[in-house]
Amino acid sequence: MDYRKSAQEVLDNIGGADNVISAAHCATRLRLVIADNAKVDKEALENIDGAKGVFEAQGQLQIIFGTGTVNKVYDEFIALGGINAASKAEVKEAAAQQQNIFMRAIKVFGDVFVPIIPAIVASGLLLGIMSASTLWPPTALSRSTPITLFIRLPIWSRERPLAFCRS
């Protein structure tokens, strides 16, 4: 496979080096942030020697070349286009800046709430357990009847009663 020829074909089918805002690669994909997507010929990109697929995700044009091939095509691509090399994080940031205001707001909303999802799930699980405990034991007891549970804690060698009221 001629890596230089593949890189030149990528450059030609994305509208040239002037149409590239940022470029990076991961283990299998060439990741590009494009200024004008109308200049991109996806069919021609899919037919490049070594390209296994082309798609857009998260504001990036991603061309799959595969492990061991993408880094060589990337090096030639950078050299031919005179493009500054960027990290994956820099490409993601450049892609985020290309999105409209609504998509950026959704991203901020997601960045705030995604880290607290485990806490929300855990609190819901605990509330469910507490609600289920009001039904145990399945007898006609009043809500003020104390229930004694026996639990084994690792620091104790024998069971200790834990009493609480269902109210």
Side-chain angles (χ1 to χ4, degrees), residues 44-156:
L45 288 171
E46 288 177 354
N47 293 325
I48 292 174
D49 184 31
K52 295 175 175 62
V54 176
F55 64 95
E56 286 185 61
Q58 301 168 350
Q60 301 174 24
L61 177 68
Q62 298 185 13
I63 306 168
I64 303 168
F65 280 104
T67 307
T69 304
V70 69
N71 54 340
K72 295 172 185 165
V73 173
Y74 175 75
D75 292 339
E76 293 293 336
F77 179 80
I78 295 296
L80 286 170
I83 301 165
N84 293 331
S87 69
K88 238 172 43 170
E90 292 169 338
V91 169
K92 283 184 180 181
E93 183 62 33
Q97 294 302 319
Q98 291 291 103
Q99 294 178 337
N100 63 32
I101 189 76
F102 179 73
M103 293 304 292
R104 282 187 281 181
I106 294 294
K107 183 181 181 325
V108 168
F109 186 72
D111 290 346
V112 168
F113 284 101
V114 166
I116 63 172
I117 287 174
I120 294 169
V121 170
S123 64
L125 182 64
L126 288 174
L127 285 172
I129 290 170
M130 289 174 58
S131 292
S133 72
T134 63
L135 302 174
W136 185 82
T139 59
L141 299 174
S142 70
R143 292 189 68 70
S144 62
T145 305
I147 297 174
T148 303
L149 295 177
F150 289 93
I151 59 172
R152 182 179 298 271
L153 298 175
I155 56 174
W156 291 337

